[in-house]
Amino acid sequence: MPRIYACNQIINRNMNKEFTRVRSAKDLAVTLSLIIAGSICMGFIESDAITILGFFILLTGVLLLFILKTGYKDQETGIRYTKHEHYFALGIKDQIISQLRKNPAALTFKGEDEGNGLRLDIYKNKTGAAYYQLFEYIPYKYEPCSEIFKTE
């Protein structure tokens, strides 16, 4: 059974785990392939229509190079994570929190997509460690309604 930590209770009482968005390898592969494809269309094909298409493909690749960031990095340790979001109805908030306290890794996603009053963020890395936190929708944004749980 994986070890479970309520991060802000055991590791550090005032801990606020922060993840920043970073470029993943997939992001770089997509943007570089668009840039290369656009450059090939512009440089090697003589048709005006293909040159214009190549310009817009190249422009899309350059814009995505600056905008696209789908990976997450722990600011404290520098370890990279992927983020998964699951949405639930507000009525099962207590059930989800109690399951997170028992064993977050065994959480079943029954009732998922039946509402959007709750959002469960899961940050996973390649070693199997994960962070779980539940958020409640308060008009115009999601606010944390549970502590951060860590499994290893």
Side-chain angles (χ1 to χ4, degrees):
M1 182 172 173
R3 285 188 268 164
I4 303 163
Y5 304 101
C7 288
N8 54 356
Q9 292 178 352
I10 294 176
I11 297 172
N12 182 350
R13 296 234 181 254
N14 298 321
M15 183 178 142
N16 185 13
K17 200 70 167 161
E18 291 188 29
F19 296 94
T20 56
R21 295 179 73 157
V22 293
R23 283 181 194 85
S24 67
K26 189 187 302 183
D27 299 339
L28 290 175
V30 167
T31 56
L32 290 177
S33 63
L34 286 172
I35 290 171
I36 291 169
S39 299
I40 289 172
C41 288
M42 287 179 61
F44 297 114
I45 301 173
E46 297 293 326
S47 170
D48 290 337
I50 300 297
T51 302
I52 292 170
L53 176 67
F55 171 76
F56 283 109
I57 292 173
L58 177 70
L59 182 65
T60 302
V62 170
L63 287 175
L64 286 178
L65 184 63
F66 292 110
I67 296 171
L68 191 61
K69 294 181 179 180
T70 60
Y72 289 85
K73 182 170 75 171
D74 183 359
Q75 286 186 335
E76 189 177 312
T77 63
I79 298 172
R80 291 183 175 242
Y81 291 84
T82 57
K83 181 180 178 182
H84 304 278
E85 295 179 350
H86 301 279
Y87 295 90
F88 301 95
L90 192 58
I92 59 173
K93 175 181 173 181
D94 294 331
Q95 295 171 1
I96 294 173
I97 291 176
S98 67
Q99 181 63 38
L100 286 172
R101 287 192 175 121
K102 290 178 190 172
N103 186 4
L107 184 67
T108 60
F109 297 108
K110 277 187 180 172
E112 184 181 8
D113 295 330
E114 290 181 4
N116 60 356
L118 297 173
R119 183 183 81 201
L120 178 65
D121 287 354
I122 304 171
Y123 294 92
K124 295 181 179 181
N125 69 4
K126 292 181 180 179
T127 63
Y131 290 94
Y132 299 79
Q133 187 171 21
L134 190 64
F135 292 83
E136 182 176 356
Y137 183 75
I138 308 295
Y140 307 111
K141 64 180 179 177
Y142 283 92
E143 293 287 335
C145 66
S146 77
E147 59 268 15
I148 300 171
F149 296 94
K150 178 183 177 183
T151 60
E152 293 180 348

